[in-house]
Amino acid sequence: MDGLTWPLCVPVLTDGVVTLRAHAPTDVSAMLETASDPEMVRWTAVPSPYGPNEATRFLGDVVQAGWDAGTHLMWAIEVTGDDGHPRFAGDVVIRGRGVSTIGFSLHPGARGRGVMTAAVRLAVMEAFSSGFTEAVHWQAHVGNLASLRVAHACGFRLIAEVPGLLFERGRLIDGWHGVVLFGDALYPRQPWRGDAVLTIRTRSGRELVLRAASDHDVPRLNDTFTDPVTRHWLADQPRDLPATRTTVARWWWRAATGQQATWVVADALTDDALGEICVMDLLGLDTTTGEIGYAVHPDARGQGVVSAALTAVVEHALDPGGLDRRRLTAAAAAGNDASLAALRAAGFTPSGRQTAAEPLGDGTYADLLELELLR
């Protein structure tokens, strides 16, 4: 640590639980654990491998130099550990005056406790109140759910998915982009749709859970979407594992931006994904309506899974304490008798027919039957 001046003149910020403070040489061990964590390597441009020399250069060439030059605000995050002692929990940095970008990383031992949301709020409030900046931009890889959760919770305006937004490790990466402006409330701008966990039973007594999608669901969801029966009736579904992973990431984005609520239908005992069900178009021209869509895994067909999931989602969608919809719509190709029967059993009634409007997997077009359900 030769050549570094400690402590730095860094404002200490705290909400009583999470503290932002200057980095210290004693943080290096925990910094190495953070930088070497697989999730950090996956979602950031942190050097890999990352050793003590990299940590030392980071503290001097980035942290101290940035504070000295006034080009960034960067803090170590500190929380109290299970042993009652304060511990390094990560970093948060706001780079660039006037218009800034934010970056953050969290030690694996501090995840799942709201630490980063609190840290980002403290850092952004300080950046605004001190006059350092008037806009803070957030960027993340498409699919970085943890980062998206923080941005949503801290009130960032979630703007778009941008192709080629980032360049890391020699390759272009599609990214999510958001911004929070001076004067914005640092709390969610809209609910995260589909966060409610619904527990239901099929008529035969099988217990199911409707929950948010996760990375580990991708293989079985891919099996669902690429199954020949699914592909015949729903020709626009993902065609391979990477496309399914992208689809799941877009479910998260639409949930965060209030556009769509999506649930994985999972077996309560095994947690295996049996399909997915969603309420789409929540921010359409009529924000009191929504459209139901779903797909079922081939090994869950004929077991009442779709009927049970439809009933639960319809009830949640119409409930003022749920999605608060007054009208739901759905559609299925003529000839898709199983889907049409499930919709009718859930209370949907015919409302229209579009001739040769639904593309099928064999390249032909079927009539599209439209149904509706009113609260």
Side-chain angles (χ1 to χ4, degrees), residues 26 104 158 177 184 188 199 213 215 232 261-262 286 302 305 330 332 355 363 367:
T26 52
F104 43 84
L158 301 175
H177 181 209
D184 285 346
T199 302
D215 278 339
H232 179 72
T262 306
D286 184 349
V305 170
T355 304
D367 289 359

Side-chain angles (χ1 to χ4, degrees), residues 30-111:
M31 288 170 61
L32 294 178
E33 293 172 353
T34 303
S36 302
D37 179 70
E39 289 297 291
M40 275 289 292
V41 175
R42 177 183 180 186
W43 297 117
T44 75
V46 64
S48 181
Y50 190 94
N53 290 337
E54 286 77 17
T56 300
R57 285 195 294 270
F58 175 75
L59 290 176
D61 297 345
V62 177
V63 178
Q64 181 169 320
W67 279 106
D68 289 346
T71 57
H72 74 215
L73 312 177
M74 187 167 192
W75 293 271
I77 304 168
E78 184 177 274
V79 296
T80 301
D82 294 337
D83 58 2
H85 296 293
R87 295 189 178 279
F88 173 89
D91 309 277
V92 59
V93 57
I94 296 178
R95 306 180 186 90
R97 284 186 170 274
V99 175
S100 309
T101 60
I102 191 166
F104 43 84
S105 62
L106 194 63
H107 188 281
R111 291 176 188 154

Side-chain angles (χ1 to χ4, degrees), residues 142-143 145 148-149 161 176 192-195 211-215 217-218 220-222 224-225 237-238 243-265 273 275-280 293-295:
V142 169
L145 177 59
L148 178 61
R149 285 280 190 180
E161 176 184 319
W176 286 327
W192 186 290
R193 297 298 191 180
D195 252 0
R211 54 163 176 79
S214 65
D215 278 339
D217 295 317
V218 169
R220 282 187 61 86
L221 289 171
N222 186 64
T224 301
F225 296 140
Q237 296 302 302
T244 298
R245 187 169 287 109
T246 298
T247 294
V248 171
R250 286 175 178 158
W251 290 348
W252 296 333
W253 178 262
R254 292 168 186 161
T257 53
Q259 301 174 69
Q260 179 174 317
T262 306
W263 293 267
V264 163
V265 185
E276 59 87 15
I277 186 166
C278 64
V279 185
M280 304 172 282
Y294 49 86

Side-chain angles (χ1 to χ4, degrees), residues 64-374:
Q64 181 169 320
W67 279 106
D68 289 346
T71 57
H72 74 215
L73 312 177
M74 187 167 192
W75 293 271
I77 304 168
E78 184 177 274
V79 296
T80 301
D82 294 337
D83 58 2
H85 296 293
R87 295 189 178 279
F88 173 89
D91 309 277
V92 59
V93 57
I94 296 178
R95 306 180 186 90
R97 284 186 170 274
V99 175
S100 309
T101 60
I102 191 166
F104 43 84
S105 62
L106 194 63
H107 188 281
R111 291 176 188 154
R113 298 160 51 186
V115 170
M116 189 54 72
T117 296
V120 167
R121 285 198 186 113
L122 288 169
V124 172
M125 284 191 291
E126 174 66 15
F128 286 151
S129 65
S130 67
F132 182 82
T133 191
E134 295 196 20
V136 178
H137 289 260
W138 160 84
Q139 298 174 346
H141 295 200
V142 169
N144 188 344
L145 177 59
S147 188
L148 178 61
R149 285 280 190 180
V150 171
H152 172 268
C154 291
F156 281 75
R157 304 164 189 251
L158 301 175
I159 298 168
E161 176 184 319
V162 183
L165 179 67
L166 305 168
F167 186 79
E168 296 177 2
R169 306 184 197 278
R171 62 191 177 100
L172 283 173
I173 298 169
D174 295 347
W176 286 327
H177 181 209
V179 64
V180 63
L181 305 177
F182 178 80
D184 285 346
L186 301 182
Y187 292 90
R189 305 179 70 83
Q190 64 281 315
W192 186 290
R193 297 298 191 180
D195 252 0
V197 176
L198 310 176
T199 302
I200 57 177
R201 290 184 182 273
T202 66
R203 290 182 179 177
S204 65
R206 183 181 188 180
E207 189 172 359
L208 308 175
V209 175
L210 274 61
R211 54 163 176 79
S214 65
D215 278 339
H216 82 262
D217 295 317
V218 169
R220 282 187 61 86
L221 289 171
N222 186 64
D223 292 344
T224 301
F225 296 140
T226 58
D227 174 72
V229 174
T230 305
R231 294 218 59 81
H232 179 72
W233 296 115
L234 301 172
D236 62 345
Q237 296 302 302
R239 296 181 177 273
D240 54 32
L241 204 61
T244 298
R245 187 169 287 109
T246 298
T247 294
V248 171
R250 286 175 178 158
W251 290 348
W252 296 333
W253 178 262
R254 292 168 186 161
T257 53
Q259 301 174 69
Q260 179 174 317
T262 306
W263 293 267
V264 163
V265 185
D267 184 278
L269 294 178
T270 66
D271 201 37
D272 288 340
L274 305 177
E276 59 87 15
I277 186 166
C278 64
V279 185
M280 304 172 282
D281 202 26
L282 297 177
L283 297 180
L285 291 176
D286 184 349
T287 57
T288 68
T289 68
E291 180 182 357
I292 296 276
Y294 49 86
V296 63
H297 193 281
D299 67 15
R301 294 189 183 123
Q303 301 175 32
V305 170
V306 169
S307 294
L310 262 174
T311 298
V313 168
V314 165
E315 290 178 355
H316 180 73
L318 298 179
D319 186 346
L323 299 181
D324 194 21
R325 304 291 105 178
R326 68 167 183 87
R327 179 175 179 266
L328 296 174
T329 64
N336 190 351
D337 296 333
S339 185
L340 290 166
L343 288 167
R344 293 188 183 107
F348 285 82
T349 58
S351 61
R353 185 182 189 113
Q354 298 183 41
T355 304
E358 180 71 359
L360 301 180
D362 60 6
T364 63
Y365 287 81
D367 289 359
L368 186 67
L369 304 183
E370 300 170 326
L371 302 95
E372 67 178 5
L373 190 157
L374 300 176

